[in-house]
Amino acid sequence: MRDDENLTTERPTFVTHLECSATGERHAADELHNLSRAGKPLLVRYDLDGVEKALSKEALARRPRDLWRYRELLPVRRTDDIVSLGEAVTPIVAMRKLAKTLGASEILIKDEGRLPTGSFKARGLVMAVSMAKALGVTHMAMPTNGNAGAALAAYGSRAGIKTTVFCPQDTPEVNVSEIALQGANVYRVNGLIDDCGKIVAEGTAKLGWLDTSTLKEPYRIEGKKTMGLELAEQLGWQVPDVILYPTGGGTGLIGMWKAFAELEAIGFIGRKRPRMVAVQAAGCAPMVRAFEAGEEHAPRWENAHTIASGIRVPQAVGDFLILRAVRESGGFAIAVPDDAITAALDEVAREEGFLLCPEGAATYAALKQGLADGRIRRDERTVLFNCATGLKYPLPPVHRTLDRLQPIDFAAL
């Protein structure tokens, strides 16, 4: 088995059409689309009967362990259009010490920081850029809080596609620097991510960019759904009881919910679904507010603020899809304050040696809150998503020094 077999071997493809997530109206496959004619996200649909006949668990198990092993359930038809930087299957790490401390049966973290560009944004953008290449796109643009822009820049450069990225003024310097270094034209904007999105929309109208904003093109969902495909396979074609997911634009939550439905349709899993928990920061929690009010849509959250910049999304175009998945699964939406996020990051690092990103730390804070208030049972298997490497974020300073020329009190060290 060659290590690049999934990238070089032609396999049958099963995309039939794209479907409006609100109205169900069909849109043609293999054509360039942004939102549906109703202005809502488009979902890629497959001939799942065909996939069931073409793909077995045994055949899948023999393939190299990367994102592209699931080719029959992905939209890229030709290997020549695959734009890859080595998207390995990300590990699931058990938090045994913390589970014992909390009296929980099993706490697992899926570590998305192992992906190219250090975050789960690589999943969505590798698919979006590969499909853009297939459809002849020459210029892509997006708003970003950091990690998505880095992934777009990297894959765009790999594909020879020009990229332009807009980020809020306070985006961490490491994110802005990596976006620029990897080939994008990047601009800081005096506003939030949705303000940056308005600039992208205007540039798209005037210059014909492909708007690659969250859920405004159909293929980032398809990349993000591989989190659900991987998770089910890694757990022996079972799903956990609860998934806690850091939710801004919500592409991954929506994508995983889609993945589980497709896996059931091809006979790989049963009817059981995990309860999907949308985790937000208390300073930017539009989904939580809408969930608790029983609403289908989430109005813009004003004056959004949180240290977890990746989930600082005041308004999401796929709000109804996020809320639908949460409710259909029997899950809930939960907000955690910044001080709890900071404490969670510190606790997991010190107790388990696992350096979470702030957004990933929010899921651990939410787990503790859910266990305390009874919304998560202690006998449930829970999976937390760490969406990026913690090394991309500011770390606390260390001030201890040691003078090697003076006597050292080793007992005090």
Side-chain angles (χ1 to χ4, degrees):
M1 179 180 66
R2 286 174 50 118
D3 192 54
D4 65 351
E5 179 185 321
N6 296 328
L7 308 178
T8 57
T9 302
E10 297 294 349
R11 294 193 173 125
T13 64
F14 296 92
V15 175
T16 57
H17 63 283
L18 278 62
E19 180 180 292
C20 175
S21 56
T23 68
E25 182 185 7
R26 291 170 69 111
H27 291 60
D30 305 308
E31 295 180 5
L32 198 59
H33 297 283
N34 275 114
L35 296 174
S36 72
R37 282 181 280 270
K40 300 297 182 183
L42 284 167
L43 302 175
V44 180
R45 297 303 186 194
Y46 300 82
D47 170 12
L48 295 174
D49 290 337
V51 175
E52 184 177 13
K53 294 182 178 72
L55 183 63
S56 68
K57 294 177 184 178
E58 294 71 27
L60 193 61
R62 291 192 293 269
R63 295 178 181 178
R65 292 183 60 77
D66 63 31
L67 175 151
W68 297 98
R69 65 197 277 108
Y70 306 108
R71 287 265 303 283
E72 289 84 352
L73 285 169
L74 297 176
V76 183
R77 297 194 188 273
R78 302 186 311 142
T79 57
D80 284 350
D81 294 320
I82 294 175
V83 181
S84 176
L85 287 167
E87 299 73 34
V89 169
T90 60
I92 296 173
V93 183
M95 300 289 110
R96 294 188 178 91
K97 289 171 66 177
L98 291 174
K100 184 176 180 180
T101 299
L102 296 175
S105 62
E106 193 168 21
I107 302 172
L108 305 173
I109 297 180
K110 188 153 172 62
D111 187 14
E112 296 291 284
R114 314 293 182 95
L115 287 161
T117 71
S119 88
F120 65 174
K121 298 296 185 180
R123 292 185 187 271
L125 272 304
V126 71
M127 209 61 59
V129 173
S130 293
M131 286 304 297
K133 178 183 176 184
L135 297 171
V137 172
T138 59
H139 195 153
M140 304 173 75
M142 69 153 47
T144 184
N145 279 318
N147 285 322
L152 177 63
Y155 287 112
S157 292
R158 186 84 168 164
I161 295 173
K162 186 176 181 180
T163 55
T164 303
V165 175
F166 304 90
C167 56
Q169 188 72 41
D170 61 354
T171 300
E173 187 62 40
V174 64
N175 295 132
V176 180
S177 296
E178 66 177 325
I179 293 168
L181 185 61
Q182 290 171 146
N185 293 322
V186 58
Y187 301 90
R188 292 183 183 269
V189 176
N190 54 339
L192 297 175
I193 190 170
D194 54 347
D195 298 306
C196 296
K198 293 171 185 175
I199 297 172
V200 173
E202 188 174 353
T204 296
K206 292 181 176 179
L207 299 175
W209 301 338
L210 176 64
D211 188 341
T212 318
S213 304
T214 300
L215 295 176
K216 289 191 177 179
E217 60 78 54
Y219 302 109
R220 287 177 67 179
I221 291 179
E222 296 305 294
K224 283 289 193 71
K225 87 178 181 189
T226 60
M227 292 188 295
L229 302 177
E230 279 184 17
L231 182 60
E233 185 177 10
Q234 287 172 299
L235 296 179
W237 299 112
Q238 301 293 319
V239 297
D241 298 307
V242 183
I243 289 175
L244 292 103
Y245 187 80
T247 304
T251 313
L253 191 151
I254 297 164
M256 282 192 285
W257 194 240
K258 184 175 186 286
F260 298 140
E262 292 173 355
L263 287 174
E264 182 184 357
I266 66 173
F268 277 32
I269 65 171
R271 297 186 63 184
K272 179 185 174 182
R273 294 289 185 275
R275 294 192 294 126
M276 307 296 287
V277 178
V279 178
Q280 299 201 293
C284 184
M287 296 303 154
V288 178
R289 183 173 60 190
F291 176 80
E292 292 177 348
E295 301 292 340
E296 185 180 9
H297 294 282
R300 188 178 194 272
W301 187 279
E302 299 300 329
N303 303 312
H305 63 278
T306 174
I307 60 170
S309 58
I311 52 176
R312 190 182 61 182
V313 178
Q315 189 166 24
V317 67
D319 54 359
F320 68 101
L321 294 172
I322 297 167
L323 293 164
R324 183 185 300 171
V326 168
R327 289 181 174 128
E328 287 178 358
S329 72
F332 57 93
I334 184 171
V336 291
D338 278 5
D339 59 353
I341 294 174
T342 300
L345 197 156
D346 183 77
E347 182 179 354
V348 176
R350 292 182 183 277
E351 295 298 319
E352 296 279 8
F354 195 116
L355 185 58
L356 295 164
C357 65
E359 298 79 12
T363 66
Y364 180 66
L367 170 64
K368 292 181 72 174
Q369 190 170 312
L371 289 169
D373 66 24
R375 283 187 283 180
I376 297 174
R377 299 193 315 273
R378 296 185 188 275
D379 64 346
E380 291 186 299
R381 171 189 268 186
T382 59
V383 173
L384 319 180
F385 273 82
N386 183 50
C387 51
T389 173
L391 294 172
K392 296 180 79 167
Y393 298 82
L395 299 176
V398 177
H399 299 294
R400 286 178 179 166
T401 61
L402 192 67
D403 186 347
R404 67 182 180 84
L405 301 178
Q406 298 297 321
I408 296 173
D409 182 359
F410 284 95
L413 296 182

